[in-house]
Amino acid sequence: MADILWKMRAMLSSDHSSVVPINLFVALLCACIVIGHLLEEQRWMNESITALAVGLCTGVVILLTTGGKSSHLLVFSEDLFFIYLLPPIIFNAGFQVKKKQFFRNFMTIMLFGAVGTLISTATISIGATHFFKKMNISSLRVGDYLAIGAIFSATDSVCTLQVLNQDETPLLYSLVFGEGVVNDATSVVLFHAIQSIDLSHINSSTAAEFLGNFLYLFISSTILGVVTGLLSAYIIKKLYFGRHSTDREVALMILMAYLSYMLAELFYLSAILTVFFCGIVMSHYTWHNVTESSRITTKHAFATWSFVAEIFIFLYVGMDALDIEKWKVVSDSPGTSIMVSSILLGLVLVGRAAFVFPLSFLSNLTKKSPYEKIGIKQQVTIWWAGLMRGAVSMALAYNQVKIDRKAFLLCRICFFFFLNMFCDDRAFLLSFLNTE
């Protein structure tokens, strides 16, 4: 009996020990929101930057209290990110998109988001292959170099969008927003296509198989998102849930949106692309078939869910930047770490320039009105907007298990190096856009 009581006490204490970090993490999320609100008038600060700063400070405190053993409150889980945090962020991006501007510039957005990402991936992969081999980082294979290209081609334009005004610069806002979402989806599709084929012997059939996988994932994912969105609109319109319960309408919209994401995961498609187009379709059809109270509720519910998920990610990233394992690698080879960071930063800069300016020129050739053409200042803004590495890069980096441990950690260090550009990114754009 005493042994049973001891085991029960041990289980309760174990459960309580796991509750403590969760409580602290939730409290930190609240602090990020409050501090971000207080700093709202400072245009170079927002909740994301605040979450990074709070995460870094918290990581320092945890390192000191644990004697340098850990900087985390929670352990990163790939399932946590891909199943619970990423879906609301991507869905809300599609749900809140200004559809008129998005589809008016659809071809240009697809040029930047799809073709541009392919060019950027190729540039980074080829450059990484050339320079890393000279640095005697020889343990990487062809698939690993292509995966690095896909990881560092995934951008995060959230910071830039908070500087731009959607009403004052509708074209620029639409291009930056659209390219950011399509870019993330394309990067994930590329990454999965790279992992799904054997790249040990590259020939024409391998290239054809790779292209076929990419097109299949892209088209199938889009169709699944559109079909799920239309199905939700049909069900709500025919059954008219609003006559009986607003809660049922809201619940059905949320669950159908989440179902589209999980169906894409089930069929090994691009869940990001699926849920994005599901969001667009639901905002255009489903949203107009619900009651007024349901429209207000869903709009704020999706935005809030996305907002909290983004802060959660940046808060964790701030803590993970002080991961002792990464810094052990740096201390073992500081020169190599700095060199890898510099090379990848340079390749990202070149990769962005390699498609933004040429594709802008091609896009301008098809535009008759001067107001529809992309000016040089707008091109520079689009180029600079893609220099941030975001949540998708982090998730793909954690997912890339084929790279050896050392190179993998070096790539993660580079990712956090890109995050440090966050404040400078905003300052540069504000000064640049305000010049005549």
Side-chain angles (χ1 to χ4, degrees):
M1 185 67 179
D3 186 51
I4 294 174
L5 289 174
W6 182 84
K7 287 182 179 180
M8 290 178 64
R9 190 181 296 112
M11 290 176 61
L12 288 171
S13 63
S14 176
D15 291 340
H16 186 267
S17 64
S18 65
V19 168
V20 172
I22 295 175
N23 274 275
L24 290 174
F25 206 93
V26 173
L28 289 173
L29 287 173
C30 295
C32 293
I33 295 173
V34 173
I35 297 172
H37 172 74
L38 295 174
L39 298 175
E40 189 175 11
E41 294 182 359
Q42 302 292 330
R43 293 192 69 188
W44 54 273
M45 287 290 289
N46 64 357
E47 283 84 0
S48 298
I49 305 174
T50 303
L52 277 173
V54 171
L56 285 169
C57 295
T58 306
V60 171
V61 173
I62 297 173
L63 277 176
L64 293 175
T65 55
T66 59
K69 294 180 180 179
S70 175
S71 65
H72 300 116
L73 283 174
L74 301 174
V75 178
F76 181 86
S77 168
E78 187 181 319
D79 291 338
L80 171 68
F81 180 87
F82 279 103
I83 296 179
Y84 300 108
L85 297 178
L86 192 60
I89 296 173
I90 303 301
F91 177 81
N92 186 63
F95 194 77
Q96 303 288 352
V97 69
K98 297 292 184 181
K99 294 176 287 297
K100 186 176 181 180
Q101 279 292 332
F102 181 83
F103 287 106
R104 178 182 294 173
N105 303 300
F106 185 75
M107 292 307 299
T108 305
I109 288 171
M110 293 304 295
L111 265 179
F112 286 159
V115 178
T117 303
L118 291 173
I119 295 172
S120 179
T121 300
T123 303
I124 295 172
S125 299
I126 294 170
T129 304
H130 175 74
F131 289 108
F132 286 6
K133 285 184 177 180
K134 284 190 173 183
M135 296 171 61
N136 294 323
I137 304 178
S138 56
S139 60
L140 302 181
R141 294 170 291 181
V142 175
D144 298 327
Y145 286 116
L146 289 173
I148 289 174
I151 288 169
F152 282 96
S153 293
T155 65
D156 185 0
S157 54
V158 172
C159 170
T160 309
L161 291 175
Q162 290 175 347
V163 175
L164 300 177
N165 188 302
Q166 191 166 359
D167 297 322
E168 294 178 2
T169 55
L171 173 62
L172 185 58
Y173 189 97
S174 175
L175 292 177
V176 171
F177 173 84
E179 189 236 333
V181 177
V182 177
N183 163 273
D184 284 346
T186 305
S187 297
V188 174
V189 171
L190 269 176
F191 186 80
H192 289 316
I194 290 166
Q195 289 189 319
S196 64
I197 61 175
D198 181 17
L199 294 169
S200 56
H201 303 287
I202 299 179
N203 49 41
S204 57
S205 62
T206 306
E209 182 184 359
F210 177 79
L211 181 62
N213 283 345
F214 175 79
L215 293 176
Y216 164 74
L217 286 171
F218 203 95
I219 296 171
S220 301
S221 302
T222 303
I223 292 174
L224 178 60
V226 172
V227 169
T228 308
L230 291 175
L231 180 61
S232 69
Y234 179 80
I235 292 174
I236 287 179
K237 183 177 181 179
K238 288 297 181 182
L239 299 181
Y240 193 40
F241 284 89
R243 288 179 302 179
H244 307 288
S245 173
T246 298
D247 297 338
R248 292 174 186 172
E249 282 186 326
V250 176
L252 187 64
M253 286 186 69
I254 293 174
L255 292 174
M256 289 293 287
Y258 193 68
L259 178 65
S260 70
Y261 187 90
M262 296 311 299
L263 282 174
E265 289 287 331
L266 177 66
F267 296 119
Y268 300 101
L269 301 176
S270 172
I272 288 180
L273 201 61
T274 297
V275 78
F276 173 70
F277 276 98
C278 179
I280 291 178
V281 172
M282 287 182 73
S283 68
H284 189 69
Y285 293 102
T286 311
W287 194 72
H288 292 286
N289 288 323
V290 298
T291 59
E292 184 63 29
S293 58
S294 295
R295 293 178 189 177
I296 297 172
T297 303
T298 52
K299 182 178 180 180
H300 290 290
F302 291 137
T304 303
W305 194 8
S306 171
F307 175 71
V308 173
E310 284 188 8
I311 294 178
F312 185 103
I313 290 169
F314 279 103
L315 182 60
Y316 183 87
V317 165
M319 294 181 190
D320 198 53
L322 298 174
D323 189 351
I324 198 68
E325 292 296 324
K326 288 197 291 293
W327 293 109
K328 283 182 180 178
V329 174
V330 174
S331 62
D332 293 339
S333 54
T336 303
S337 300
I338 294 172
M339 186 66 70
V340 169
S341 298
S342 303
I343 288 172
L344 286 174
L345 175 59
L347 289 175
V348 169
L349 289 166
V350 173
R352 290 288 301 175
F355 77 84
V356 169
F357 300 108
L359 294 183
S360 295
F361 174 77
L362 292 177
S363 176
N364 288 339
L365 293 177
T366 64
K367 307 293 184 182
K368 296 181 179 179
S369 172
Y371 298 103
E372 296 179 348
K373 293 186 177 182
I374 309 170
I376 185 63
K377 185 182 290 188
Q378 293 174 319
Q379 293 177 34
V380 173
T381 303
I382 294 170
W383 169 73
W384 189 264
L387 299 185
M388 267 286 296
R389 304 304 97 186
V392 173
S393 289
M394 184 183 77
L396 294 181
Y398 276 105
N399 193 37
Q400 174 58 326
V401 295
K402 294 182 181 179
I403 299 179
D404 75 333
R405 182 66 178 167
K406 186 171 183 177
F408 165 61
L409 290 174
L410 289 172
C411 289
R412 284 176 62 190
I413 293 165
C414 290
F415 164 69
F416 292 114
F417 174 77
F418 286 126
L419 281 175
N420 291 333
M421 297 170 59
F422 205 98
C423 295
D424 293 337
D425 183 65
R426 293 176 66 85
F428 171 82
L429 284 172
L430 281 172
S431 60
F432 182 75
L433 290 172
N434 288 332
T435 57
E436 293 296 331

